[in-house]
Amino acid sequence: VWTLSSDSFNFHELPIGAAAIERWSTDLQTAADRRDTDAFERGVIAPYRLLATSLRDLARSGPLESVVIVPDGAMTGLPFGALRDPETRRYLIEDVSIATAASATQYIRYFLRDRASPTAVHPQVLLMADPSIDQSLEVARGLVGLPGARDEVQRISQSYEYRAKPIIRVGQASTVRAFLDMGPKSVVMHIAAHSINNTRLPSQSLLLLSPSASDSGILTYENVLEKVDLTSTKLVVLSFCSTGFPSTGSDTSLLPATAFLGAGAAAVVGSLWSVNDRQTVDFMAAFHRRYAQGDDVASALRQTQLEQLRSRNPARRSPLAWGQWQVLGVGSSRLNLSSVNSDGEATPER
């Protein structure tokens, strides 16, 4: 493992093999799918110890505020924010803001792209939810509607209504054409839908949207790369199952989150395991509120996760309720520098 900060560079050879890391990752994914909190809590200790020496290296120059992790192979399936120090009992997200990247070079590219993008004044925000998928499709068998997703995007739109132009497309209006037409014009995009991962051919993983006269509603992630230019998009949130990294060391270059980054988005928030339709509503509403008010993507996600962790509700405090969300890439928020009055005119923030 290499650690790099503004004033130091270190290298450590860790006394662990790839097989053990893959086992940790698989066990954590299994515990999350089974909602086995005890097994999950036991499973996050060893990966934390794996990173502890590197974190101490980075902290020598002063308190850490943020960390960017470039995982390799099976490490891509580890929920970094939910890794826990067995001595202090603190989760990693309690101490630092965390982002991930497919490579250091790509992270620098995201960073420079984000810095180069202009401040947004009354930008467009696209919110898509609960597509009316074609149940006759073999890939759609057994999939149910996402009624909570409709409430989710309505709640999210309230965070942007005075700073941006929210466009909501739900049910039959949540089509491939709507995505292709309005996605490139949107500074923020939030999609709450079903995704089907193809681990053998990641580029053929599917996003299921509503059918229209010209298509079945199926969009592959190869299509996202080929047909959509998201270089003006600062943030994409994929509010569905397993949108981040896989739990094995397969090629991640065309998985859902990286497909949107490859299309030009500066940052993507995705999930490592299945999300609860109803629980996600409050989480995503709080995350977008913080982002719209000026937090960068990683900070907004961290504060939302900490809010869950401090909840009086045991189900919300569980790392299974918040640990799956991760940031890939880098995205600041400049939506707070101007707001829009009732006449649609830009006015300075106080």
Side-chain angles (χ1 to χ4, degrees):
V1 61
W2 292 263
T3 58
L4 175 68
S5 69
S6 60
D7 60 0
S8 68
F9 174 82
N10 289 286
F11 168 79
H12 298 283
E13 184 171 347
L14 301 177
I16 198 72
I21 297 174
E22 185 168 346
R23 185 175 66 253
W24 294 345
S25 183
T26 301
D27 288 348
L28 285 169
Q29 297 284 334
T30 300
D33 288 339
R34 294 177 177 174
R35 298 297 188 263
D36 188 339
T37 302
D38 291 339
F40 187 91
E41 292 280 27
R42 291 192 299 270
V44 294
I45 293 174
Y48 180 90
R49 286 174 172 155
L50 180 74
L51 297 178
T53 300
S54 300
L55 293 171
R56 284 194 295 268
D57 274 349
L58 291 171
R60 285 175 181 170
S61 300
L64 287 179
E65 294 182 2
S66 62
V67 172
V68 179
I69 298 174
V70 181
D72 178 68
M75 289 186 74
T76 58
L78 295 176
F80 294 106
L83 301 186
R84 198 173 197 183
D85 186 329
E87 296 178 2
T88 66
R89 305 298 294 166
R90 289 174 67 83
Y91 296 100
L92 186 55
I93 200 67
E94 294 183 80
D95 296 323
V96 293
S97 174
I98 303 169
T100 61
S103 73
T105 300
Q106 285 192 11
Y107 183 81
I108 294 298
R109 188 177 301 134
Y110 307 147
F111 181 85
L112 295 175
R113 183 189 303 160
D114 179 72
R115 283 293 181 91
S117 63
T119 298
V121 177
H122 204 206
Q124 179 173 290
V125 173
L126 177 61
L127 308 172
M128 302 180 71
D130 192 23
S132 302
I133 57 179
D134 185 352
Q135 294 294 332
S136 67
L137 296 173
E138 183 176 354
V139 294
R141 290 178 183 173
L143 298 181
V144 297
L146 303 171
R150 296 183 179 231
D151 186 26
E152 185 176 317
V153 294
Q154 291 291 341
R155 293 269 303 278
I156 290 169
S157 70
Q158 296 170 15
S159 295
Y160 293 105
E161 57 187 354
Y162 296 115
R163 293 180 170 86
K165 178 184 178 182
I167 297 177
I168 299 175
R169 294 291 183 268
V170 300
Q172 293 182 348
S174 190
T175 62
V176 171
R177 179 48 51 194
F179 169 79
L180 295 177
D181 288 348
M182 290 183 284
K185 304 172 186 175
S186 302
V187 172
V188 177
M189 191 186 317
H190 182 102
I191 305 174
H194 284 294
S195 175
I196 299 177
N197 288 345
N198 186 328
T199 56
R200 190 174 62 86
L201 292 172
S203 66
Q204 300 307 306
S205 296
L206 308 177
L207 172 58
L208 302 184
L209 299 174
S210 299
S212 62
S214 58
D215 62 74
S216 64
I218 295 177
L219 189 68
T220 70
Y221 292 104
E222 187 174 41
N223 295 151
V224 173
L225 280 169
E226 292 177 345
K227 297 183 178 181
V228 188
D229 179 1
L230 298 180
T231 52
S232 297
T233 304
K234 299 182 69 63
L235 169 64
V236 176
V237 179
L238 303 177
S239 183
F240 40 86
C241 303
S242 302
T243 55
F245 290 120
S247 58
T248 62
S250 61
D251 179 16
T252 63
S253 62
L254 288 174
L255 287 166
T258 47
F260 282 84
L261 287 169
V268 176
V269 171
S271 172
L272 288 175
W273 56 78
S274 299
V275 300
N276 181 289
D277 186 37
R278 295 306 311 182
Q279 284 185 351
T280 305
V281 174
D282 291 339
F283 186 94
M284 282 299 168
F287 165 74
H288 279 279
R289 183 177 68 251
R290 289 185 171 91
Y291 180 72
Q293 290 173 347
D295 285 357
D296 62 61
V297 177
S299 296
L301 185 64
R302 179 187 182 225
Q303 291 304 319
T304 306
Q305 290 173 316
L306 292 178
E307 183 180 81
Q308 291 266 112
L309 186 55
R310 295 163 183 163
S311 171
R312 295 181 179 181
N313 185 333
R316 291 183 180 275
R317 288 200 305 270
S318 169
L320 300 182
W322 53 264
Q324 69 270 44
W325 299 107
Q326 296 203 114
V327 179
L328 187 64
V330 56
S332 61
S333 172
R334 299 190 182 94
L335 305 181
N336 64 319
L337 299 182
S338 61
S339 60
V340 177
N341 62 26
S342 58
D343 296 322
E345 299 172 338
T347 59
E349 285 282 287
R350 289 185 291 176

